[in-house]
Amino acid sequence: MPAYNKADLERRMAGAIEALKHDLQGLRTGRASTSLLDTITCEVYGSHMPLNQVATVSTPDSRMLAVQVWDKGNVGVVDKAIRSAGLGLNPIVDGQNLRIPIPDLTEDRRKELAKLAGSYSEKAKIAVRNVRRDGMDALKTDEKKGEISEDERKRLEAEVQKLTDSAVADLDAATAAKEKEILAK
C-alpha cells in the first residue's frame, strides 16, 4: 500500500490554515470579543484547560469582557493566565467574576500585535512545511518499495510543492488581512 496520501496532506495543510485563523481571531483590534480569550489556557485540577472550560466569558458592552469563574478557588489562576497571555489585558477581580476593560490600542501596542500575528503565521508555515516534508518522504518510500517510478515521484513532488505554495499563500493572505486590521486606526 502506498505511503503517499494526497488527501491527508491537503487535510493537514488546511488544518494549519484553520489553526492560524483561530489564533488570529484572538488578537484584539480595540473592541471586545469573547474570541480574544480563546487561546488562553489555565492550569487547574492538575492539567491545562482552555479558559472556556473553567469559566463563562461574555461581552456586556463593546469595551468590556466579563469572565465568571465557576470554582472560586480558580479565580486567581484564571486572573494570572489572562495577565500572562501577552494580550495586554488586566482583569479586575470582583468575587468570582473578572471584569476585563479593553483599553484603546496605542501605536506601540498595534505594532506589537502585528508582530505577534507574524509569529503565529511563521508557526503555521512551519507546520505546512512539516506536512510537505512528510509527503516528500512518503513519495521516496514508495519509490524505494517499487510502488511508483522515479518520474511519477517527481511529478507527485511537484504536486506536493504546489499544495504547499497554495497553503503558504493562504497563510500570508490571512496574516496580511489581520495586520491591516490591527494597524488601522
Side-chain angles (χ1 to χ4, degrees):
M1 184 170 153
Y4 174 72
N5 183 346
K6 181 181 176 185
D8 183 53
L9 295 179
E10 289 174 335
R11 180 189 57 77
R12 290 171 58 197
M13 286 185 187
I17 294 167
E18 287 307 310
L20 173 69
K21 288 179 179 177
H22 181 266
D23 287 346
L24 291 178
Q25 281 181 342
L27 295 178
R28 64 191 180 90
T29 56
R31 59 188 172 274
S33 168
T34 58
S35 64
L36 293 176
L37 304 179
D38 283 351
T39 58
I40 296 176
T41 58
C42 308
E43 189 170 347
V44 293
Y45 310 120
S47 65
H48 289 279
M49 298 176 79
L51 180 64
N52 64 5
Q53 291 184 7
V54 295
T56 303
V57 180
S58 61
T59 53
D61 64 52
S62 66
R63 296 303 225 168
M64 181 75 66
L65 285 172
V67 178
Q68 182 179 6
V69 183
W70 300 329
D71 184 354
K72 189 170 183 155
N74 293 332
V75 172
V77 175
V78 171
D79 178 44
K80 183 178 176 185
I82 293 170
R83 288 179 191 275
S84 64
L87 297 174
L89 301 175
N90 295 311
I92 301 165
V93 179
D94 182 21
Q96 277 185 251
N97 297 317
L98 298 168
R99 289 179 290 123
I100 307 169
I102 306 296
D104 288 331
L105 290 176
T106 63
E107 190 63 29
D108 290 340
R109 186 65 182 142
R110 288 178 192 277
K111 289 178 183 175
E112 200 175 304
L113 288 172
K115 276 187 193 177
L116 190 57
S119 72
Y120 287 168
S121 178
E122 271 311 304
K123 287 178 187 173
K125 286 178 186 177
I126 289 169
V128 167
R129 287 198 229 44
N130 287 339
V131 172
R132 177 188 64 191
R133 183 196 63 226
D134 293 347
M136 298 293 194
D137 290 347
L139 288 171
K140 289 175 186 171
T141 301
D142 287 348
E143 182 185 12
K144 284 181 184 174
K145 289 181 181 177
E147 295 179 358
I148 61 172
S149 66
E150 181 180 352
D151 290 341
E152 182 72 6
R153 176 185 57 84
K154 288 184 179 183
R155 184 186 68 74
L156 290 172
E157 281 180 348
E159 198 175 274
V160 170
Q161 185 60 47
K162 190 175 177 183
L163 280 173
T164 303
D165 293 343
S166 173
V168 168
D170 289 348
L171 293 172
D172 287 341
T175 304
K178 187 63 175 187
E179 286 176 347
K180 183 179 177 183
E181 182 183 336
I182 289 170
L183 294 173
K185 292 185 178 184

